[in-house]
Amino acid sequence: FRKIELYEMVWNLREGLKDCLIAAAPYGGPIALLKESQRRERSASARPLLEIYSAAGVAMASFPWKSGVVVHIGWTVSDDLLCIQEDGTVLIYDMFGNFRRHFSMGNEVLQNQVIEAKVFHSAYGTGVAIVTGAFRFTLAANIDDLKLRRLPEVPGLQVAPSCWAVLMQDRQTKVVLASGKDLYMLDNTACTLVTPPGIDPQVSSYFQMAASFSYKYLALFTDTGHVWMGTSNLKEKLSEFDTKVRSPPKQMVWCRRPKSQQPSVVLMWDRLLLVAGKCRESIKYPSHCESFLVPELDGVRIVSRSFHEFLHEVPGACEEIFKIASMAPGALLLEAHKEYEKESQKADEYLREIKEQNLLPEAVRQCVEAAGFEHEPETQKILLRASSFGKCFLSNFPPELFVGMCLDLRVLNAVRDYSVGIPLTYSQQYKQMTVQVLIDRLVFRRLYPLAIEICRYLKIPEFQGVSRVLKHWACFKVQQKEDPDDVIACAINQKLGDTAGISYSEIAARAYECGRTELAIKLLEFEPRSGEQVPLLLKMKRSQLALSKAIESGDTDLVYMVVTYLKSEMNRGDFFMTLRNQPVALSLYRQFCKHQEQNTLKDLFNQDDDHQELGNFYVRASYGEGSVKARMAALQNAVDEFNKAKNEFSAKATEEQMKLLRWQCRFQEEFDKPYLDCSLHETVRSLLEDGKHKQAEQLYKDFHIPDKRFWWLKISALAEKEDWEELEKFSKSKKSPIGYLPFVEICVKHHNKYEAKKYVSKVTLEQKVKAHLALGDLEQAVEAAIERRSESDLNLVLSRCIPTTDRALLDKINHARAGVLKK
Amino acid sequence: MVPMALNSRRDAPEPPDFSHLKRLARDQLIYLLEQLPGKKDLFIEADLMSPLDRIANVSTLKQHEVDKLYKLENKPIVSTCDQLCFLIRPRIHSVKWIADIVNTDKAAGRFRRYKIIFSPQKFYACETILEEQGIYGDVSCDEWEFYLLPLDDDLISLELPEFFRDYFLEGDQRWVSTAGKALHLLHSVYGPFSKVYGIGRCAKMTYETWREFVEDGEQRPRQPEVGNVFLIDRDVDFVTSLCSQVVYEGLVDDIFRIKCGCVEFGPEVTSSDKSLKVMLNSSDKVFSEIRNEHFSNVFGFLSQKAKSLQTAYDKRRGMDIQQMKMFVSQELKGLKQDHRLLSLHISACESIMKKKTKQDFQELLKTEHCLLEGFNIRESISYIEEHINRQVSLTESLRLLCLLSLTENGLIPKDYRSLKAQYLQSYGTEHLLTFANLRKLGLLVEQQPGDTITAMENKVGKLVTDKAVGKLTDAFNSLAKKSNFRALSKKLALIPEVDGEYDLCTPRDMAYIFSGAYVPLSCKLVEQVLDRGWTGLEEVTRLLNGNEFAVTAGGSGGEIKTKHDSQRIVFVMFLGGCTFSEISALRFLGRERGYKFIIVTTAITNSARLLESVLDSRV
């Protein structure tokens, strides 16, 4: 074991660490102090001071404690301070002493009060465990996802447990507690009495217990002065050590490197620090002043009034190299390098010795590894130089190891600096914690420039590195209340520019949280993706702006989202007015209304005084109505609207439709036949087909149906009925406005050539050819065509002739054509 | 049959293999189905049925524990399954139907698990409905990102017929991001593209959304693999989509309606009492040879084919046993297949002939050509009038009216009113709404006195300068939009000058698809822009209302030195649908110029579909 001085504490504590609640965050985190005097005096005037220092003792925050009595303080994995009060309230502060939030450990606590509490860390996050005045345990495994669990009662427990610890086993949080000579294991459902294997039967009480960093091991300090060490499931004993001290230690913590064979525990009394291990002997350090132990993954930090030290088992590599008279390859290489520096030939001898055993790569590796365990930059340098020296004699030693170590050590030394104060060991803590987390911690400490430097130095991809730091910086920047909006927005944009992976909307969201809406809007202007701007703008109630941004984004879903929001937020009038200025949103909303809210659609048109569309709306509505009365009403509305729109045509057409409806109703009653939903044309045809000529004539006159249409209608209806007599009569009633070719054609269509022929003579000269063709009379057609001397007519006939059978005709036509062409 | 491209030209490159798209879609669907383990009944939205069928057949679905398949309808269901899965388009009414189903179950105290799979994406509005109906927590939602359905080697459809109405008529831009995503999918699987051209506001927005997806995603510099992409809005060229189709595939679509690459021939074609579903694509050897032909050539081709088939059969005579064995085992099957297809297409032709070669159709075409060329307008108007008066067909009458308006830059007020009045008499007053829609689209408008329109244009022009507002003024814009067809036609020489008869057997330009009367504007633009970009077309783009763009998307690679084969692959994306005639025209252009055109469209359309989508159906 060895003790390394990390820092000479720069803090200036008047009363030392006495009577303080102390908590230090693992992984070289900050230290919090709360004067405990409050407990006794209880005078409102003497408010205790809560102070937060970095690991180097640099003050980070200090403020008078105004809330209730604090039982325990502890740090979360993300370096937030938890203050657990007597009444079960847990207050959370960040490391600068800013209040974050609070939660309660349950109602039961209110009466019984918290007598003791512990903060613990696991894969799930940071947890809190309390024991109440009724000696019941309650825990929350993760304070960010608060689920309180009340553990089962311990039967017969009348006094507070002498000591207890939180364990993580099989992904379950358990509590082990001691009461007299009994040990109990509490899990979610049960309370089990347990006995550690090989415990001295004389033990009548346990003074102290400690779980290891990983919860794998448990140490118990008994009233006999023994330390029992074993696995935390209490199935296996590792060793036992007699401290010969009968008084309970102030603190007991594990000091064990992962994978190391030696279980060892550090115990602290007022004036003594003792390391107990497997062997019979112990290492004793006298301590002069009040200290505090902070368990770490691979050792223990000892914080005292003036020093901050790190106690750990000497790592293998260092031991090999620095052990006196060590012949390990690393030690030899270091020696060789020393000689080389002195320009002594011994260097060669040492080297040769290593090389003969083929251990040079091993030697280099050892030196590099050892450098990682060393705290002093000087020692690191010596070891690294030695390894680099050794590397020169190797042709294919992979460089990554060495280069990586140099990079990482530089980073570690930088963060270990007094001004930063994060002492981390390389091989365990740093590796376990990862660079990402380290950068996060720097960011939490607002050490943005250093974080960025590290990102750049380690060439971390921008997205995870620099951009992330910059984003945090910007989020912090927006909270600086003293600077005006313009300055901040400008500063942020200048720094961030278009760096990949930066979301201006996130920063703006933070600004908004801080109540700086104007700044948020300014920041949003820098956001290139308009889609990202919308949700925040809505939140800030800048709905108009949100709407235009949504439209700009071209994402209709977004537009729709804003529209729905507006609809619920605004009164109808304002809502419509807003839509009116945004045609895209308006048409989207109209589409929706068409399916969902017909009446809203009407209101929309009303708002705009869009009488044309209103007219159309009523026309559409009329066709949806079942009763004639309702239809008429809708149509009348339409007429009114069309009139307002000065659309005489539509108004008239609609009036005619109303007139038609009236007629249709009358016919429907008279003839017991459906006429509704028929157009005028269809109605007339239907009447004609039924022989209701009189009624048809009425419509013809009433609606001013053009003569042509009426004639077409009449002849096709008559032909349909094969009422040839009536057809002939009709043809003679007056001069046909459509000529007589249609008569021929309609007869042919109904396979009555006889009737058709009656009309041929009436057909005009121009159409005669067609009439003959319709009858299939080619010869007559030819005659007619020749008579007209029309080339196109001749061609028409020609196209109908079949070359094989109509030889004679063909000749005739061709002859005629020639004649026509000549002229 | 004479091959179309006679001169020796560069061969067009092979198109990429688009079956990947199907596989991607299938895999994702299977994944989604497996997210709901156990037996489940699947309810499918009616118009997703055919596309789904192209991706995963019933047996595939059954393999993944789909028990029964139903069409999603607005009525109570009979399923007894404990898990219901709904496969729908993100439409409000479909979600409401589902909500009814769930609420009925709730009222009956029945517990089931529900899952809605939206294809190709979910819209916020749909979730709002779930919330309003109080079932948001009862159903789980997923998206089946099935954006693109390859219908053929060179044809990919988004199968979104409502795109046209929603965007162009209602001004609803929800599908724009869908189009952007579809383009992004093509880009990531078959891209990158070296150049992107486009015209139209929707094209521009689609391009922008796509760029955003590209920028958000991971960017690896890759060699461009697809030469060019051309995006075009349907409203750039309405005329082409409204003309009668006379190329075989187009005609089949006009008459029998091709659905998802498949046509159902009725009894009159199959000459039996059953109708028959036939896949129409390039794997049908007979069809692939006639699909792009002018109809007048098809019959000749088919009879020639019949003859050669006969000759092949005739080879049997004089064969010895061995040869006969070979013949039966190797050729006979193919011949029989050809035979079957041939007789089918011959019957289809007959059926088309019956309908289309009558006097009426010839006159109809004549009128159309007159409209396109701009003479005998009065005669055409009275033809249309007669058409309406005789109540020939609701959409056909409308089509002619629109063609008249588009080619004439709107109807003079007197004609407009009288034709409209007559139309209403024939087909019902509710078509007031249809006319309002057509007016909004700029398809059928009344000419305004000169000054009004300039004032309007000015107003719109001012609005457009503001970026945000610019994106949204479509609706206003179309009010003032002139089609400028006559000027465009002159500028781009869309009406070929023909001395004598246009030779439809060996066409010389794309006009053959309209019997030589008219080169489709949309395709002409593609041709011109591929030749030389937008330069020199300033007047044309002005007449088309601007919004053209050309972007070299190749990234940092600079100029592409080697002209890879793949550089001659061109994606043409129609926003709002394209017709088979246009596809035929582009295929022709590709053969002429050595390009391989891949047509990507929001849906296959034709005049009837286009106009039906604009009707305001009776509620």
Side-chain angles (χ1 to χ4, degrees), chain A residues 160-194:
Chain A
S162 57
C163 57
W164 55 283
V166 180
L167 293 178
M168 293 295 292
Q169 273 173 4
D170 310 325
R171 295 165 162 206
Q172 224 191 25
T173 321
K174 298 181 179 178
V175 166
V176 61
L177 66 110
S179 173
K181 60 179 178 37
D182 296 326
L183 279 183
Y184 298 92
M185 186 78 86
L186 280 176
D187 62 16
N188 284 352
T189 50
C191 168
T192 335
L193 184 67
V194 285

Side-chain angles (χ1 to χ4, degrees), chain A residues 551-552 556-557 560 584 587 591 594-596 616 620 623 649 657 679 681 685 709 712 770, chain B residues 96 124 129 132 166 170-172 174 389-391 420 422 425-426 428-430 433 471-472 616:
Chain A
I551 287 163
E552 220 174 276
T556 45
D557 271 6
Y560 199 80
V584 169
S587 42
Q591 284 279 78
K594 257 186 201 160
H595 290 280
Q596 285 293 79
N616 288 343
R620 194 177 295 115
Y623 282 92
F649 181 89
Q657 174 64 19
S679 70
H681 184 99
R685 189 176 58 206
R709 179 193 295 275
W712 278 114
K770 282 184 186 164
Chain B
K96 269 168 91 176
Y124 185 76
I129 301 293
E132 277 182 13
D166 281 351
E170 313 276 6
D172 179 342
R174 73 175 80 188
N389 278 334
R390 295 173 65 184
Q391 212 197 26
K420 190 165 156 188
Q422 302 205 35
Q425 285 195 348
S426 274
T429 314
E430 72 265 37
L433 304 173
K471 281 189 173 178
L472 356 148
D616 243 280

